[in-house]
Amino acid sequence: MGKIVEVNDLTKTFYTKDGEIRVLDHINFHVEEGEIFSLLGPSGSGKSTILNILTKLLEPTEGTVTMGGTIGYMFQRDNLLDWRTIMDNITIGLEILKMKDKASLDRIERLLKTYGLWDFRNMYPKELSGGMRQRVALIRTLSVNPDILLLDEPFSALDYQTRLMVNDDVYKIIKNENKTAILVTHDISEAIAMSDRIAVLSKRPSTIKSEHKINFEDMEVEKTPFECRKIPEFQKYFDILWKEIDNNDIR
Ligand code: ADP
Ligand code: MG
């Protein structure tokens, strides 16, 4: 295992007609291959800006980013197209990239079968629950076989119970498919449940306040986000992160 993402002294300033807004101030982090790494920070701290720089949608003002693999980007809203079937929604990325070959279609068939969506492939998005739609969105992101997944608050539009279930689904898919992921969230519990490591961002102009390795030694069974919420160590991490996040950032 090695570093697959490296971010060095990343600074971003937006220049607007009303003046300069410094959003990111010398951000440093790296991500190891196979890791789920979370950026945890309050709204407006520049989390989406970091992901947009990683995908090269935005230029850094200063600093460098190195991506050691191809990227798949999953947004907050599932962005499924109502008039296309589930299958046609999933293959849209392949169509755009002109990659709709047999190997890709075979990969999609395997993903749909493995993750319980094959029987729904000819349905339309409005016929599916919110949780299933997020699974479809994730499989669409995986359709082009990216090495690194960037997940921008992918659960925030879901109600609480669905969210807990989709946490498990998404965790299982990322780990089974041996992907590396960067998860952006403002939810402390979700970050602990999902991550191997967490970086805490301060409010704007944001810096990395601290990093936390998450390791559940008490886990008897295989780790799932849902199961690890029940064990005492979870609360320990919660207390540490709660103190770490300056609550004046949120209020
Ligand atoms: P987060 O995802 O953590 O909520 P964002 O990265 O979306 O934060 O935004 C961080 C800050 O940068 C916000 O205050 C936002 O208003 C500002 N910002 C984002 N994009 C632009 C832009 N294109 N021009 C000016 N300001 C921007
Ligand atoms: Mg955002």
Side-chain angles (χ1 to χ4, degrees), residues 14 16 21 23 42-50 152-153 204:
F14 289 109
T16 69
I21 310 170
V23 177
S43 174
S45 59
K47 303 182 296 298
S48 296
T49 301
I50 294 175
D152 194 352
E153 310 216 32
R204 220 180 65 203

Side-chain angles (χ1 to χ4, degrees), residues 2-251:
K3 291 181 190 173
I4 192 166
V5 175
E6 267 197 88
V7 172
N8 289 308
D9 282 328
L10 178 64
T11 294
K12 180 70 186 173
T13 305
F14 289 109
Y15 299 95
T16 69
K17 61 176 172 26
D18 303 321
E20 296 182 4
I21 310 170
R22 173 152 292 202
V23 177
L24 304 175
D25 188 13
H26 297 279
I27 299 279
N28 288 287
F29 66 85
H30 77 274
V31 184
E32 301 275 339
E33 225 178 313
E35 211 177 21
I36 300 182
F37 177 80
S38 285
L39 293 166
L40 173 67
S43 174
S45 59
K47 303 182 296 298
S48 296
T49 301
I50 294 175
L51 294 192
N52 288 335
I53 292 170
L54 295 181
T55 58
K56 305 207 174 356
L57 286 169
L58 286 175
E59 289 264 317
T61 305
E62 283 174 50
T64 57
V65 305
T66 310
M67 303 298 282
T70 55
I71 299 168
Y73 201 162
M74 184 169 157
F75 301 94
Q76 188 166 348
R77 292 188 309 120
D78 60 42
N79 292 314
L80 298 179
L81 303 173
D82 288 339
W83 60 90
R84 294 180 72 121
T85 62
I86 298 308
M87 185 56 110
D88 290 346
N89 264 288
I90 287 174
T91 55
I92 197 164
L94 295 172
E95 280 172 29
I96 292 166
L97 296 171
K98 305 220 181 332
M99 273 175 55
K100 206 169 161 181
D101 51 22
K102 172 116 175 36
S104 301
L105 291 173
D106 286 349
R107 182 171 58 248
I108 287 172
E109 179 173 336
R110 179 184 67 76
L111 289 167
L112 288 172
K113 285 181 173 162
T114 309
Y115 303 112
L117 289 164
W118 181 247
D119 292 345
F120 300 89
R121 66 192 181 282
N122 296 321
M123 291 190 178
Y124 288 87
K126 66 171 185 308
E127 300 176 82
L128 268 56
S129 67
M132 287 175 92
R133 291 175 63 122
Q134 279 311 86
R135 253 190 290 156
V136 172
L138 180 61
I139 288 171
R140 181 183 54 192
T141 308
L142 291 170
S143 68
V144 296
N145 206 16
D147 303 305
I148 306 160
L149 298 170
L150 304 181
L151 309 173
D152 194 352
E153 310 216 32
F155 312 111
S156 59
L158 302 171
D159 64 71
Y160 184 68
Q161 265 161 302
T162 306
R163 198 170 167 146
L164 294 185
M165 287 189 296
V166 178
N167 278 177
D168 270 24
D169 294 339
V170 167
Y171 181 87
K172 193 169 101 187
I173 296 171
I174 294 170
K175 291 297 183 190
N176 280 350
E177 303 297 324
N178 295 314
K179 300 297 179 187
T180 303
I182 300 180
L183 171 69
V184 156
T185 180
H186 61 262
D187 183 322
I188 298 175
S189 302
E190 185 170 284
I192 302 167
M194 295 287 294
S195 314
D196 298 300
R197 205 152 48 86
I198 300 173
V200 179
L201 293 169
S202 69
K203 67 164 189 270
R204 220 180 65 203
S206 76
T207 54
I208 303 252
K209 292 178 86 168
S210 57
E211 272 192 20
H212 304 266
K213 192 149 181 52
I214 307 299
N215 197 356
F216 289 105
E217 278 160 16
D218 291 358
M219 266 334 256
E220 281 166 19
V221 286
E222 201 183 336
K223 176 187 166 171
T224 72
F226 189 77
E227 288 300 321
C228 74
R229 285 172 188 266
K230 297 180 195 161
I231 65 176
E233 270 179 296
F234 189 90
Q235 190 61 41
K236 187 192 79 186
Y237 284 121
F238 189 94
D239 292 340
I240 294 169
L241 288 164
W242 177 260
K243 288 198 191 93
E244 198 61 48
I245 291 186
D246 180 356
N247 290 304
N248 294 321
D249 293 352
I250 299 168
R251 285 197 196 105

